[in-house]
Structure formats: structure tokens, C-alpha cells
Amino acid sequence: MLKNLYDKVLSLADKPWALSGLAVICFLESSVFPIPPDVLIIPMVLANRSKAFKIVIVSTTSSVLGGMFGYFLGNKFINTIGAKIIDFYHLNDQFLDFSQSFNEYGAIVVLTAGITPLPYKVVTIASGATSMNFVLFSTISLLARGLRFTIVASLLWKYGEPIKEFIEKRLNVLAVLFVALLIAGFFLTGKI
């Protein structure tokens, strides 16, 4: 079943609308969607290695714009519904402490979540909720997401066929590893 899904995604990866679909997934993943865009980036680069860096530009741009939307959600949510919840539970001092801590290490947190499988959307929303400096948030997001997608696409561009064969031979193991990393990311951010 997993092999069939992989083959289907690979066959769709070179369609004319694939880049638009990738842009939507990258945007949503940075603000609300739980699936990392790598599940599309990898087959898209493998399907057409000559478009690897175009894929990086689309992924990075869309992901950063989605991160800005996540920031906006966090900022507006905390200023409306979130503030009422914090007041109701008398957590104003604790939230202030969290905000100061988050913003003190915010650049490192955004950089780490932007490069690793940690759920980036959690960090984008928290950045908005704590009113992290928007220019700093946007700059670090651009660097981190650009670096992550460039590394993935560069490796696939350079070692396309061997990587493709490696993935196809070990698809089940890689899928389990991917899910484990995703769960670990949610666990490390306290969402599980």
C-alpha cells in the first residue's frame, strides 16, 4: 500500500500544477497543517531533478509566508480569546515569563524548528503569541526554511537515482522513521 502511494505521488510530482500544490502545502504546513512538505519535495525533485532549485524557491517562499500567517494567528488569538483564557486561569505572570523566555531564545527556537522535523507551525504561532520581533522572526524563518529545503533538494539533485533506489528499497523503514521523527517533534514541543 505504501509503495503504491509513493508511486502515485511520484507520478503526480511532475504535473503542471505540482508546484502550485507544493506552494499550498508549504504555506499550510507552516501555520496549521500537520504534514511536512518533504513528502512532496522529495518525489518532485526525484521526478524532475532539473527543477530542484525552483522547488526550493517555491517551498521556501510559501513556507515563510505560511509562517507569517501562523505568527498572525498566534498574535491575534492570544490578543483575543487567548487573553481571556489567561485571565480566567490567572496565568498572566506565567505567560509574561514564558513570553520573555521565548523571546530571549526565540531566534534559536525558530532556527531549530525551521531546519529540523520539529513542528514549525507551533513555533510560528508561539512567536506571534509572544510578540517576538516580526522582522527577526521573518529573517530567521527565511534562513532556516531556505537552508532546510536547499539541503534536501541539493542531495536529491546530486544523488538522484541512488537516493531514489535507497528510498524505494527501504520505503517502509523510512516511513516508520519519518513518523517517529514527527511524533518526537510534537513530543519535544509539548503537544503530545
Side-chain angles (χ1 to χ4, degrees), residues 11-146:
S11 73
L12 296 174
D14 201 27
K15 300 292 184 208
W17 47 265
L19 278 175
S20 299
L22 176 63
V24 170
I25 295 298
C26 288
F27 181 90
L28 293 174
E29 181 271 337
S30 295
S31 51
V32 294
F33 194 61
I35 307 296
D38 305 75
V39 298
L40 286 178
I41 293 171
I42 293 168
M44 286 180 72
V45 174
L46 290 175
N48 190 343
R49 289 169 46 198
S50 66
K51 290 186 178 178
F53 298 102
K54 187 174 188 176
I55 291 167
V56 168
I57 291 168
V58 168
S59 300
T60 302
T61 303
S62 302
S63 182
V64 172
L65 290 172
M68 291 174 176
F69 181 67
Y71 182 101
F72 171 78
L73 290 176
N75 192 269
K76 292 304 173 191
F77 172 77
I78 203 64
N79 289 330
T80 56
I81 300 166
K84 291 176 184 172
I85 294 169
I86 290 168
D87 283 341
F88 178 79
Y89 288 106
H90 307 290
L91 296 173
N92 291 318
D93 291 339
Q94 289 88 338
F95 183 75
L96 183 61
D97 291 343
F98 168 76
S99 295
Q100 289 170 344
S101 287
F102 185 88
N103 288 329
E104 184 176 339
Y105 301 103
I108 295 168
V109 174
V110 172
L111 182 68
T112 302
I115 294 173
T116 65
L118 291 172
Y120 180 61
K121 75 204 69 14
V122 172
V123 173
T124 67
I125 293 169
S127 296
T130 61
S131 298
M132 179 182 179
N133 180 292
F134 183 74
V135 173
L136 177 64
F137 165 78
S138 301
T139 303
I140 298 295
S141 292
L142 181 63
L143 293 172
R145 297 311 261 185

